[in-house]
Amino acid sequence: MDNRKSIIFKQIGAKIAYFRTVRGLTQNLLANKINISLNTLGKIERGKYNKNLSISMLFDIAEGLQIDMVLLLTFTEDEKRVWLEEADKID
């Protein structure tokens, strides 16, 4: 996987962790709510879930967080700039 994709998966994971925390949910509570293992959710939040994350899984997570899935996939220009800078450091 190229570095830019890896950075984006990490950012999606960070957003999931952020919204989970705002909702007052532990990883264990969210994982149980959406029927995945705690280990799987931890990997997703770290951007390390099989180097891939399905739309179906994102939909389940968004529903579990009671947010619109687009919030997990929409990034500000500042966020995008940070990714490009990080990817350039790795390349």
Side-chain angles (χ1 to χ4, degrees):
M1 171 186 309
D2 74 28
N3 295 324
R4 292 170 201 243
K5 285 181 185 177
S6 178
I7 293 166
I8 290 170
F9 282 121
K10 286 179 184 179
Q11 187 63 36
I12 291 169
K15 285 184 174 217
I16 291 167
Y18 168 78
F19 286 112
R20 178 181 54 74
T21 302
V22 167
R23 294 283 190 241
L25 298 170
T26 64
Q27 281 186 330
N28 197 42
L29 285 172
L30 180 57
N32 286 335
K33 191 173 185 179
I34 61 174
N35 298 312
I36 63 172
S37 73
L38 177 60
N39 187 48
T40 296
L41 181 59
K43 286 179 181 178
I44 291 168
E45 288 189 357
R46 290 188 309 276
K48 302 289 185 188
Y49 181 67
N50 297 330
K51 306 292 185 195
N52 196 359
L53 190 53
S54 72
I55 296 296
S56 177
M57 179 76 75
L58 282 175
F59 182 78
D60 290 343
I61 291 168
E63 278 199 335
L65 294 170
Q66 298 178 323
I67 62 171
D68 191 320
M69 186 171 62
V70 73
L71 292 173
L72 301 175
L73 301 171
T74 305
F75 307 101
T76 66
E77 290 304 314
D78 286 337
E79 289 170 324
K80 291 175 187 176
R81 187 171 34 258
V82 168
W83 302 337
L84 294 175
E85 290 169 4
E86 285 298 313
D88 288 343
K89 287 179 190 176
I90 297 170
D91 287 338

